Amino acid sequence: MRFLSNRNSNRGWFCCRASESSSVQQAHANEDDSNKNKKKVVVVGSGWAGLGAAHHLCNQGFDVTVLDAGDGLGSPDNVGIQGFWYPYQNIFSLVDELGIKPFTNWTKSAQYSEEGLEVEFPVFQELPQLPTPLGTLFNSQFAKLPLVDTLTALPLMAAVIDFDNTDVAWRKYDSITARELFKQFGCSERLYRDVLGPLIQVGLFAPAEQCSAAATLAVLYYFILAHQKHFDVKFCNGTSRDRIFEPWMESMKATGCEILEGRRVTDFIINEGTGRITEVVCENVTHSADAVILAVGISTLQEIIKKSAALCTREEFLKVLNLAGLDVLTVKLKLDRKVTIPTASNACSGFNDACGWAFFDLNAIHEEHKNEPVTILEADFYHANELLVMKDQDVIRKVMNYLSKYIKDFENANVVGKQITRFPKSFTHFFPGSYKYMMDVSTSFPNLFMAGDWIISRHGSWSKEKAYVTGLEAANGVIDYLEEGSFAKIIPVEEDEPHVEALRTLNRNFNEIRTQLPLSDYFL
């Protein structure tokens, strides 16, 4: 009886196991069926735009695959030291959602010319808030610029008022250069040479005579003039990849997002009947898709267009071949002694007329270098065409030569460690006339959407924030097209100050009246 009892007991145990196994198998089957029923979205690009789109779509239950041609760095979003400015409210909201703390406190910054320190910028939100542009002009500490030169910036507010980020405004100002804009509105030669020109070179990564006036006004307003505190900046307390992108991607993988590296997109399979993209081709591998988001830089997209028989049939993509990217070079140096650098972030002029640059005190910014007994800094060069072909030792010699002109203590320091990285065609060039070649979030393919810092958007943001916002806009395009999920909530830019809004309303009314007059469109 004991034997039978044990036998029955064992038999019962096996029956129980068999039943559990069946349940598990059924659960897996249900899960597989559920995954099969999920709409598939392929996102090309793993920067702020691509991950922003993928993150929201994952949270809405889509089957998302991110294709990255490189090593997962999300170029150009991990090139050099990049600031996170006060109006980046969507990025700050994302970081809070992820539960990470990657940023420094708000930091002071400075600007140098060949003659030394030109301007020190405080943390503006700590000072009394003055109406734009008075807060920026009078709270900035100009070391050499006479007041009369500073005041020549005020007439530029007329262009700022007129430029309201509409399509009409972009087309009106995009055909002229930033230098022409400053000249037309009476900026002094010294203000342009020592302050505005270098700011544009660092903000738009090219000399002012090679930058669109429309892009210039967009950048000046968003970062500097809209609100006094907008010029305040934080930095990542390590690399963006380590502090933000890696934990972000890990959180997305945990929700089922697949991130594939080394996948270069070469073409798309189109359903001739519907005009939809059904598959994304990566050389010998294809990925089926119900919707696709292209969230890559201009140079990468141009490579895809040249290889893609599908994209070459559409005028909007052929126009992209007229756009251009800018070269960037970064130099990270370790010196043999401690040099006191007054501010963590420093914009510079005087290296040469074609190249804008900035240097950063990594001892103050990066946690890993805070207690180093020596100086560790990084210098980033924009529009660095000439530097990319130079030998490393020649680049270092030039960097140290100019640093010593700005801060004398660099003269006695020696370089004991270096890391030089070249990034050809990695930043967007907003050259005069470029706007007409840029793309909207939606395309002529009903299920293909675009995202990136160069994509047209009426949100009003710029740089990384714009890339992330257009990623959310592209995700919303997918949700609208597939009719599933909830739209991403995008935080709008802060409203204009009352006097700016009143002046813009008056200006619009005036422009409407002027268009009714005879010969209003006759003159250039």
Side-chain angles (χ1 to χ4, degrees):
M1 291 293 296
R2 185 180 300 172
F3 175 77
L4 291 175
S5 175
N6 286 342
R7 187 178 179 183
N8 289 338
S9 175
N10 289 338
R11 184 180 178 184
W13 182 80
F14 278 112
C15 286
C16 179
R17 290 285 294 182
S19 175
E20 181 179 331
S21 177
S22 176
S23 299
V24 171
Q25 289 175 358
Q26 184 62 45
H28 285 310
N30 292 338
E31 185 177 345
D32 290 340
D33 289 339
S34 176
N35 288 334
K36 288 178 182 177
N37 292 329
K38 285 184 177 182
K39 295 293 178 64
K40 297 181 181 296
V41 182
V42 174
V43 178
V44 183
S46 62
W48 283 105
L51 294 187
H55 176 80
H56 182 71
L57 292 172
C58 283
N59 289 342
Q60 298 307 306
F62 291 95
D63 181 357
V64 181
T65 299
V66 177
L67 304 178
D68 177 31
D71 55 4
L73 292 180
S75 174
D77 298 297
N78 282 277
V79 175
I81 304 296
Q82 300 189 18
F84 293 80
W85 307 84
Y86 185 90
Y88 284 11
Q89 295 304 311
N90 287 282
I91 286 180
F92 293 145
S93 176
L94 167 72
V95 166
D96 290 341
E97 178 188 336
L98 295 174
I100 57 177
K101 297 187 180 299
F103 298 126
T104 65
N105 295 323
W106 301 107
T107 64
K108 297 180 180 180
S109 56
Q111 188 169 318
Y112 291 87
S113 72
E114 289 184 359
E115 298 177 0
L117 179 67
E118 290 290 341
V119 195
E120 286 185 282
F121 300 106
V123 177
F124 285 97
Q125 59 194 286
E126 296 176 352
L127 301 174
Q129 300 297 296
L130 301 175
T132 188
L134 302 180
T136 304
L137 288 178
F138 295 124
N139 287 323
S140 299
Q141 299 163 20
F142 296 96
K144 300 182 181 67
L145 192 71
L147 178 60
V148 65
D149 289 273
T150 304
L151 293 176
T152 64
L154 289 175
L156 190 63
M157 278 301 295
V160 171
I161 295 298
D162 192 38
F163 182 83
D164 57 1
N165 199 44
T166 60
D167 181 71
V168 171
W170 269 91
R171 294 184 183 279
K172 177 178 179 179
Y173 285 96
D174 188 57
S175 60
I176 63 173
T177 71
R179 190 182 189 283
E180 289 176 295
L181 177 75
F182 297 141
K183 182 179 180 180
Q184 285 180 16
F185 286 88
C187 292
S188 74
E189 173 65 26
R190 187 166 182 178
L191 176 66
Y192 170 77
R193 183 188 68 235
D194 295 339
V195 179
L196 292 178
L199 275 178
I200 295 305
Q201 279 191 298
V202 173
L204 287 174
F205 316 118
E209 63 269 21
Q210 297 183 34
C211 291
S212 154
T216 299
L217 287 170
V219 166
L220 285 176
Y221 189 67
Y222 181 67
F223 287 116
I224 300 175
L225 296 176
H227 299 275
Q228 175 182 308
K229 58 193 175 184
H230 279 197
F231 199 58
D232 289 343
V233 62
K234 296 180 177 183
F235 294 93
C236 220
N237 54 27
T239 65
S240 295
R241 181 189 185 186
D242 291 340
R243 301 292 181 171
I244 300 176
F245 281 88
E246 286 193 353
W248 191 9
M249 288 189 288
E250 288 303 315
S251 72
M252 290 168 59
K253 289 177 183 177
T255 64
C257 181
E258 189 175 23
I259 301 177
L260 303 177
E261 298 177 3
R263 300 294 175 96
R264 294 187 178 277
V265 174
T266 54
D267 210 345
F268 303 88
I269 305 299
I270 310 297
N271 182 310
E272 296 297 335
T274 64
R276 293 175 55 252
I277 291 175
T278 57
E279 293 179 88
V280 179
V281 182
C282 298
E283 296 176 337
N284 297 323
V285 179
T286 61
H287 300 271
S288 61
D290 295 296
V292 179
I293 295 174
L294 283 177
V296 294
I298 287 170
S299 59
T300 301
L301 182 58
Q302 288 173 336
E303 291 177 7
I304 295 173
I305 293 169
K306 291 173 183 178
K307 295 175 182 177
S308 170
L311 298 189
C312 281
T313 64
R314 305 298 171 104
E315 183 180 359
E316 63 200 316
F317 286 98
L318 293 176
K319 285 183 176 180
V320 172
L321 299 178
N322 294 299
L323 296 174
L326 293 168
D327 298 332
V328 179
L329 179 140
T330 68
V331 182
K332 185 175 180 179
L333 298 177
K334 182 177 182 179
L335 308 182
D336 62 353
R337 66 195 63 201
K338 198 77 167 180
V339 175
T340 300
I341 303 175
T343 51
S345 168
N346 306 276
C348 306
S349 60
F351 194 91
N352 65 42
D353 291 336
C355 185
W357 67 294
F359 71 93
F360 305 89
D361 180 4
L362 298 190
N363 297 94
I365 295 174
H366 286 184
E367 287 184 349
E368 62 180 306
H369 299 310
K370 283 190 181 297
N371 298 319
E372 293 273 3
V374 295
T375 298
I376 297 178
L377 62 88
E378 179 167 321
D380 296 338
F381 298 89
Y382 321 108
H383 197 264
N385 315 41
E386 300 172 21
L387 298 181
L388 254 60
V389 299
M390 292 175 60
K391 294 181 179 179
D392 287 0
Q393 59 266 32
D394 295 330
V395 172
I396 292 172
R397 190 179 303 114
K398 280 183 174 289
V399 173
M400 291 302 296
N401 179 38
Y402 277 89
L403 285 174
S404 63
K405 289 185 178 181
Y406 302 149
I407 299 174
K408 292 298 182 183
D409 287 349
F410 278 115
E411 292 180 348
N412 302 317
N414 298 303
V415 176
V416 295
K418 65 177 176 65
Q419 179 181 334
I420 298 179
T421 313
R422 294 165 173 82
F423 301 94
K425 309 302 178 188
S426 58
F427 283 0
T428 302
H429 187 187
F430 293 92
F431 59 85
S434 59
Y435 177 75
K436 60 180 173 287
Y437 304 123
M438 294 184 177
M439 298 186 67
D440 294 310
V441 170
S442 298
T443 72
S444 59
F445 295 101
N447 66 332
L448 174 61
F449 303 89
M450 307 298 298
D453 70 348
W454 62 278
I455 300 300
I456 295 171
S457 171
R458 301 302 166 209
H459 180 261
S461 53
W462 203 257
S463 190
K464 295 179 289 299
E465 176 82 351
K466 183 183 177 185
Y468 178 60
V469 166
T470 57
L472 297 181
E473 290 177 341
N476 286 346
V478 170
I479 289 168
D480 185 49
Y481 173 74
L482 297 177
E483 298 181 340
E484 290 185 16
S486 300
F487 293 122
K489 295 180 180 178
I490 300 173
I491 302 171
V493 296
E494 194 171 351
E495 292 182 357
D496 294 332
E497 293 181 358
H499 67 291
V500 172
E501 179 56 36
L503 288 171
R504 281 190 166 161
T505 300
L506 185 65
N507 183 66
R508 290 189 196 103
N509 293 337
F510 173 76
N511 286 335
E512 288 176 4
I513 294 172
R514 188 175 60 179
T515 58
Q516 306 302 318
L517 298 176
L519 303 178
S520 61
D521 296 328
Y522 181 76
F523 295 101
L524 182 64

